[in-house]
Amino acid sequence: MSAAIEFRDLFFSTPQGRLLLDNISLALEEGTTTAILGRSGSGKTTLLRTVNRMVEPTGGAVLVHGQKVREMDIIALRRDIGYVIQETGLFPHFTVERNVGVVPECHGHKSGDRIRRSHDLLATVGLDPKSFAKRHPHQLSGGQRQRVGLARALAGEPKILLMDEPFGALDPLTRAEMQDMLRDLLKRLKKTVLLVTHDLDEALYLADRIVLLDQGRLVVDIPASEFLASTQPEVQQYVNAFRRGARNAQAGDDQPLPATSPAEGGYAPEEGGYK
Amino acid sequence: MPGFFSQYGSTIAELTLEHLWLTGAAMLCATAIAVPAGVWLTRSPRWAKPVIALANILQTIPSLAMFGFLLPLPWLGERAARIAIVALTAYALLPILRNTYTGIRGIDPAVLEVARALGLTGTQRLFKVELPLATSFILAGLRTATVTCVGIATIAAAVGAGGLGELIFRGVASVDNRLVLAGAIPAALLALAADGGLGLLERWFQPPSQ
């Protein structure tokens, strides 16, 4: 399989000199989902935004289907890449139908085609076009807004989807429903997905590979199925921090558990999981 | 009173139309200058402060002095109506400029980010997203400017530009309150009508979520 997205020796530093991406090299296979994990400020979103040139790297290169994005027409590049963010960014003055059809509209597609495409996509993401097409974003719940955002991202028939914490603001039950829907959708549509998330569970559920960033450096790039068993300290630290609540409930006492150490009830991969 | 109206009715109507023409023309000119300028400032924000400050200074010039400054200028000074329209345009710039700038700058950054990320061109972003979302703000600025200029336009009579101010000046000169009111009441009604009408338009263009 060829790389759909490739980061080559990528650097990004702010005009103030803060290094946000530090020599990242990574290749994403066509049709796979890659989750990027890491602390806030570790460079996850910056890395994602270099793909559609929302951020221009200060060193190295990003390639999409073998072509350097810097040499591509920026408008054409962006229209060929779906983009979903936590805040959805739905246009408040457009109906749901028009929000979904905005990329075909910019391509100059006829109104009838756009409406048909919007309705098909709404059905694909689990929204009945009859009851949702004419609504405005403020008349939707958080989960419904995310579904519309996803439908809009798919409207240009992109091969690549960039998703920046798409379900981060949703309650756990809605998030689980959205994850199920997305997993099913990705299985059918075979998109290359780059997913930024804080949620380890989400990464394990949706991704084929997991990439861990720390202070702009790539720490780990492994198959999702191997992530929990990794002995790398940064991975263990992340896993421990994520599973504190469950461990605490299992331990049944009020003693706070360590956030980072695998000892004393922490994650012990050599023993097959949690103590 | 019926005698007064039969004597001055047609003059009041004529001067009201003249007043409307002066104010309307100035509002059109001000909108044509201030909206593109406001959009440009959103693209070059470092200019926003000095340009808005300049528009602010224009607004602080006393209206009679402004008409006086423009009177000796070539071409402008040839016709009083031109002086009035230029002066009123200068007064209307600030509210429209400021509201265009703040209206666009106040749009949810996530909406603008997605518009860029989906591949909308600069023109498409402006006409499909930014201006529609800022329209109610721009109309609020236009409303403030119109109400202010309907009042200031009465001073234009001092340089012979006509309008309802002519009746007011004549009334003051002849100590005839009926003439003063014949100019002041229609001017006030015009201002109220502009305020109400543009207020309705402003609400009409408010994005659905607000």
Side-chain angles (χ1 to χ4, degrees):
Chain A
M1 275 195 286
S2 64
I5 303 172
E6 191 183 345
F7 302 96
R8 270 190 204 162
D9 310 318
L10 203 68
F11 288 89
F12 177 78
S13 50
T14 63
Q16 294 75 34
R18 202 176 145 227
L19 192 62
L20 294 184
L21 296 177
D22 186 359
N23 199 15
I24 305 266
S25 289
L26 176 69
L28 276 61
E29 300 294 331
E30 184 98 51
T32 60
T33 299
T34 304
I36 312 176
L37 292 175
R39 288 170 188 265
S40 300
S42 60
K44 305 184 297 293
T45 296
T46 308
L47 182 67
L48 175 128
R49 285 160 60 94
T50 59
V51 180
N52 60 353
R53 293 180 61 188
M54 295 295 281
V55 166
E56 298 282 7
T58 46
V62 181
L63 288 83
V64 166
H65 297 119
Q67 207 182 340
K68 285 185 180 170
V69 294
R70 200 180 295 158
E71 292 163 5
M72 295 167 79
D73 174 67
I74 197 164
I75 299 296
L77 170 79
R78 287 174 178 171
R79 285 183 187 171
D80 281 342
I81 294 176
Y83 191 69
V84 185
I85 57 172
Q86 184 177 319
E87 302 84 356
T88 71
L90 294 180
F91 304 129
H93 56 308
F94 284 2
T95 59
V96 163
E97 180 181 87
R98 196 166 172 209
N99 260 292
V100 175
V102 75
V103 174
E105 183 180 328
C106 291
H107 273 300
H109 290 196
K110 283 180 187 162
S111 164
D113 293 343
R114 286 196 322 251
I115 291 170
R116 217 169 305 122
R117 176 110 186 101
S118 296
H119 288 206
D120 286 350
L121 283 165
L122 286 174
T124 304
V125 296
L127 294 175
D128 178 12
K130 276 186 197 147
S131 52
F132 287 97
K134 299 294 176 198
R135 293 195 199 178
H136 280 87
H138 74 283
Q139 295 167 312
L140 306 175
S141 69
Q144 288 163 349
R145 272 200 285 267
Q146 277 303 346
R147 285 175 195 264
V148 176
L150 181 59
R152 180 174 63 179
L154 295 169
E157 299 186 37
K159 286 187 177 154
I160 293 172
L161 263 184
L162 304 177
M163 308 185 83
D164 191 357
E165 294 188 52
F167 313 134
L170 303 177
D171 65 84
L173 291 176
T174 310
R175 194 184 311 167
E177 281 172 20
M178 294 294 295
Q179 288 165 350
D180 284 340
M181 184 267 292
L182 182 64
R183 198 160 110 135
D184 177 54
L185 205 67
L186 294 178
K187 237 181 246 171
R188 283 189 285 136
L189 301 178
K190 302 276 180 219
K191 306 281 181 196
T192 306
V193 181
L194 189 55
L195 170 74
V196 164
T197 180
H198 278 121
D199 184 347
L200 176 60
D201 220 40
E202 183 168 275
L204 292 169
Y205 190 64
L206 293 174
D208 301 296
R209 291 192 79 80
I210 294 181
V211 169
L212 184 65
L213 294 186
D214 185 36
Q215 295 182 339
R217 284 178 302 108
L218 192 150
V219 178
V220 161
D221 168 23
I222 51 174
S225 54
E226 294 170 20
F227 192 80
L228 289 178
S230 170
T231 53
Q232 250 183 281
E234 290 91 345
V235 175
Q236 290 188 19
Q237 192 179 20
Y238 201 90
V239 172
N240 281 328
F242 193 73
R243 295 277 163 88
R244 289 175 79 207
R247 292 198 329 265
N248 196 39
Q250 278 171 4
D253 59 36
D254 296 334
Q255 290 303 307
L257 288 160
T260 54
S261 165
E264 297 284 317
Y267 184 68
E270 69 282 2
E271 290 175 35
Y274 289 97
K275 285 185 178 176
Chain B
M1 201 50 115
F4 177 83
F5 277 114
S6 62
Q7 190 183 349
Y8 287 104
S10 61
T11 312
I12 294 170
E14 196 181 307
L15 293 174
T16 303
L17 281 177
E18 206 165 50
H19 204 91
L20 267 175
W21 148 244
L22 291 175
T23 317
M27 288 308 112
L28 278 177
C29 292
T31 307
I33 296 166
V35 172
V39 171
W40 172 70
L41 290 182
T42 62
R43 269 63 174 164
S44 319
R46 67 199 173 97
W47 288 99
K49 235 177 169 179
V51 172
I52 290 175
L54 182 73
N56 225 334
I57 290 169
L58 283 178
Q59 196 133 34
T60 60
I61 301 172
S63 47
L64 205 52
M66 173 84 92
F67 290 120
F69 289 141
L70 297 174
L71 204 54
L73 296 181
W75 187 79
L76 270 186
E78 287 168 21
R79 284 187 65 182
R82 285 181 194 159
I83 297 174
I85 290 169
V86 169
L88 293 175
T89 300
Y91 283 115
L93 286 178
L94 178 70
I96 304 173
L97 180 74
R98 196 176 43 202
N99 279 32
T100 304
Y101 178 72
T102 51
I104 293 177
R105 295 278 287 182
I107 295 171
D108 179 2
V111 168
L112 296 179
E113 170 172 328
V114 168
R116 278 176 64 216
L118 290 177
L120 272 72
T121 62
T123 314
Q124 284 169 339
R125 287 203 301 272
L126 179 65
F127 288 103
K128 287 183 192 292
V129 182
E130 291 171 306
L131 283 179
L133 287 176
T135 299
S136 65
F137 262 87
I138 298 169
L139 284 171
L142 183 65
R143 182 177 164 198
T144 308
T146 308
V147 172
T148 309
C149 285
V150 167
I152 295 175
T154 55
I155 316 283
V159 290
L164 290 162
E166 213 170 288
L167 287 171
I168 299 173
F169 277 107
R170 242 190 274 170
V172 170
S174 57
V175 201
D176 184 346
N177 281 345
R178 289 178 311 167
L179 275 177
V180 174
L181 289 173
I185 290 172
L189 290 176
L190 277 183
L192 285 173
D195 189 48
L198 287 167
L200 278 177
L201 217 56
E202 191 186 318
R203 274 191 291 281
W204 175 265
F205 278 101
Q206 206 126 47
S209 56
Q210 288 163 30

